Amino acid sequence: MAAAKRMAKKHNMTLEEAAEGGPAEEPKQKARPASYSMSATERVFANSLHLMEGHLREEKARHEAALKAAYDRGLAKDNKPQKSLAGPKKIRSKKPRGMPPKIHAAVLLRETELSLREIASITGLDIYKITALKLKNRKPAA
């Protein structure tokens, strides 16, 4: 209890305020004295901010007026998104790029020392097909 009293006294609070988590109201910003004058940089920044807000308001009003005029003329009545002016998009073929999995597996079996499981994970074939390929590609016994 003594520690709580010391902490409350240190922060100029009563015990009730400290128990509630802090003073009832804490000033967010200090009010500037009446004699405070803005620096030149602050004035320029405030002026440009004011002009920017005004420009944005005017631009928004111009856009809404143009949109309303377009609706009145009968344009853009459907809710479909407007198509891009760029050329048609390339449609990717359904065939995977690169080597077919069986040929890829055969090349990996011949040219690497990867395990059958690693080759199966790379090519997407099951391990039994990889094993069959390995056995079929053996050299005949002499």
Side-chain angles (χ1 to χ4, degrees), residues 81-136:
Q82 187 178 17
K83 290 187 178 178
S84 172
L85 297 177
K89 292 182 181 179
K90 291 183 179 179
I91 298 173
R92 190 170 178 189
S93 67
K94 296 191 183 216
K95 292 182 181 178
R97 293 184 178 189
M99 278 193 243
K102 285 187 177 182
I103 296 173
H104 191 198
V107 169
L108 290 174
L109 284 169
R110 251 190 339 267
E111 298 178 2
T112 66
E113 294 181 7
L114 293 172
S115 70
L116 297 177
R117 287 198 169 126
E118 290 172 329
I119 294 174
S121 68
I122 292 171
T123 60
L125 297 173
D126 65 13
I127 197 153
Y128 300 109
K129 290 182 181 176
I130 304 290
T131 307
L133 279 172
K134 183 174 182 175
L135 292 174
K136 288 176 186 174

Side-chain angles (χ1 to χ4, degrees), residues 40-55:
T41 306
E42 289 175 327
R43 274 195 301 275
V44 168
F45 180 73
N47 188 35
S48 64
L49 187 63
H50 173 71
L51 290 174
M52 186 172 60
E53 286 177 358
H55 177 72

Side-chain angles (χ1 to χ4, degrees), residues 56-72:
L56 288 175
R57 244 183 277 113
E58 291 170 4
E59 195 63 28
K60 184 177 178 183
R62 185 193 64 74
H63 174 73
E64 288 176 354
L67 193 61
K68 185 180 181 310
Y71 283 138
D72 291 344

